[in-house]
Amino acid sequence: MNWTVEQEIAHKLAQMRRWLEQEGAGALRLRGADWFAWATAGASGGHCPSTECGHAEVLVTRDAAYILTDEAEAQRLRHEEVRGPWTWQVTPWMQPRLAELREHFVQHAAGGLPVLCDRPGVFERGLPVVLRDERLPLLPPEQLRYRTVGRLAASAASEALRAARPEWSEQELAGACARALWTRGLHTMHVMAVGAQRQQRYRRAPPSSTPLGSSVVLALCARRFGLCASLSRQRRFRPAQAGVDEADAAILALEAVALDACEAGHALSMVYHALDSAYAYAGQPDAVLNHRQGGIAGYQAPELAAGSCTELLLKDGMALAFHPSLPGGMVEDTFLLNGQRLRNLTFDPAWPSISVRGRRRPLSLELE
């Protein structure tokens, strides 16, 4: 089935109205940028990708669906972002008592019944966890959009790293990567560049003015259509060596243990415990406790972090991004789960890679 935007939104409106019935609520209010993008099939309700909430909200009742925004944003949102069968509730942005008027409208629309909300206010109820978990398996049109985001993000990382020079600072590389992301239409969520000197002290760190030196780890998270794609790549400033570098082999072997555990029906905690065992085997027994390892991806990065007690079962259509690391090395890609198979959304066929457990995994780029 080739989904249209209107069909996707209709499917999600029906899903949200089932939630209202299940919870005995009168309205569902979605304030967060993540939920807004999910409900509107990839639209953005704000200007700044780092803010939790945008300038527009979604309000769904049992017989209506609204976009709540103000006059400063409505025209752009109508023309460039939001499609579908929405009723627009637009208020003057300088109107005195604006927040009070909007709250009055929401309560009136709910008809005296409770209001469910992803970021609940004083008179609202939070979304039950079971409802939040329902958005984690992505629909076919969401998966198609995610493939576009992942491909563009991988291309941007490759462009920045191929242009980098040892004398560049970490900040220069991060800036080049951010530029490559923005020119591809991706919002930069974060870019991390750690050169040779700081790799000995930190696994992950914001870029500094320190020169890259002999090697660098570049990690990024980029967003488009509300979907977050994460990846990391490494470059060593030396002539290409024959065979696979020992550091690459070690980190890819560690990662393979985690990826092998990613099967539909397995609990997310199984991936965490698999990584824990792999770190111990690699001589880093406390690494899983000292560093974040990733988890389920999607409209947030992560949607749910892997931990020892995260018993949520993995399902087809979920996106996963793990970033295991060893001293001086890290690897990450964003995958889509399909049964016992993982589709790499951030694979770049032009980047050097090797087959590990039947998956193409990135090697460190080595150029003169």
Side-chain angles (χ1 to χ4, degrees), residues 30-33 36 44-49 51-58 67-74 76-77 82 88-91 93 98 102:
L30 302 176
R31 285 192 172 105
F36 186 90
S44 173
H47 304 147
C48 180
T51 56
E52 187 174 346
C53 299
H55 301 287
E57 306 174 20
V58 165
I67 298 293
L68 311 180
T69 190
D70 58 57
E71 288 183 344
E73 303 296 332
R76 179 188 64 83
L77 291 172
V82 180
W88 290 75
Q89 176 66 19
V90 181
T91 52
W93 76 271
L98 171 61
R102 181 171 293 181

Side-chain angles (χ1 to χ4, degrees), residues 4 24 43 73-74 143 152 164 183 205 222 246 276 313 333 335 337 363:
T4 66
E73 303 296 332
Q143 296 177 24
L152 293 174
T183 57
E246 289 185 6
D276 191 15
L313 298 183
D333 276 297
F335 295 90
L337 181 61
L363 295 171

Side-chain angles (χ1 to χ4, degrees), residues 132-294:
R132 291 175 175 271
D133 291 347
E134 281 193 34
R135 89 170 185 191
L136 300 181
L138 302 172
L139 297 173
E142 294 174 303
Q143 296 177 24
L144 286 174
R145 293 195 292 270
Y146 220 155
R147 289 167 59 182
T148 298
V149 178
R151 174 178 53 81
L152 293 174
S155 172
S158 298
E159 176 184 307
L161 278 173
R162 290 182 185 278
R165 296 294 179 265
E167 63 273 15
W168 279 19
S169 70
E170 296 170 351
Q171 292 167 342
E172 285 179 287
L173 175 56
C177 184
R179 183 181 187 280
L181 290 169
W182 279 107
T183 57
R184 288 166 171 78
L186 301 181
H187 292 176
T188 305
M189 304 303 292
H190 77 252
V191 176
M192 181 198 76
V194 183
Q197 180 179 333
R198 297 175 79 222
Q199 284 175 32
Q200 304 308 312
R201 299 194 299 270
Y202 311 117
R203 300 286 179 90
R204 300 176 70 87
S208 73
S209 59
T210 306
L212 300 180
S214 60
S215 65
V216 63
V217 175
L218 176 69
L220 65 86
C221 179
R223 173 184 280 166
R224 186 173 177 183
F225 311 120
L227 295 163
C228 301
S230 302
L231 65 109
S232 71
R233 298 289 183 266
Q234 300 186 120
R235 178 168 179 186
R236 297 189 175 94
F237 296 98
R238 67 187 185 193
Q241 306 291 309
V244 179
D245 183 274
E246 289 185 6
D248 281 352
I251 190 64
L252 293 177
L254 175 68
E255 182 203 39
V257 175
L259 297 183
D260 283 348
C262 295
E263 295 185 13
H266 285 185
L268 183 57
S269 60
M270 290 181 63
V271 185
Y272 175 90
H273 290 300
L275 268 173
D276 191 15
S277 298
Y279 276 119
Y281 185 80
Q284 300 284 322
D286 296 326
V288 77
L289 302 175
N290 297 334
H291 307 283
R292 299 180 182 90
Q293 302 300 319

Side-chain angles (χ1 to χ4, degrees), residues 3-58:
W3 293 61
T4 66
V5 170
E6 290 74 16
Q7 287 172 325
E8 181 181 346
I9 293 173
H11 176 90
K12 290 176 177 176
L13 286 174
Q15 184 176 1
M16 287 184 274
R17 287 175 175 135
R18 286 196 301 272
W19 296 351
L20 294 178
E21 292 288 341
Q22 293 169 20
E23 299 298 318
L28 174 67
R29 185 179 192 177
L30 302 176
R31 285 192 172 105
D34 52 341
W35 279 102
F36 186 90
W38 174 82
T40 58
S44 173
H47 304 147
C48 180
S50 62
T51 56
E52 187 174 346
C53 299
H55 301 287
E57 306 174 20
V58 165

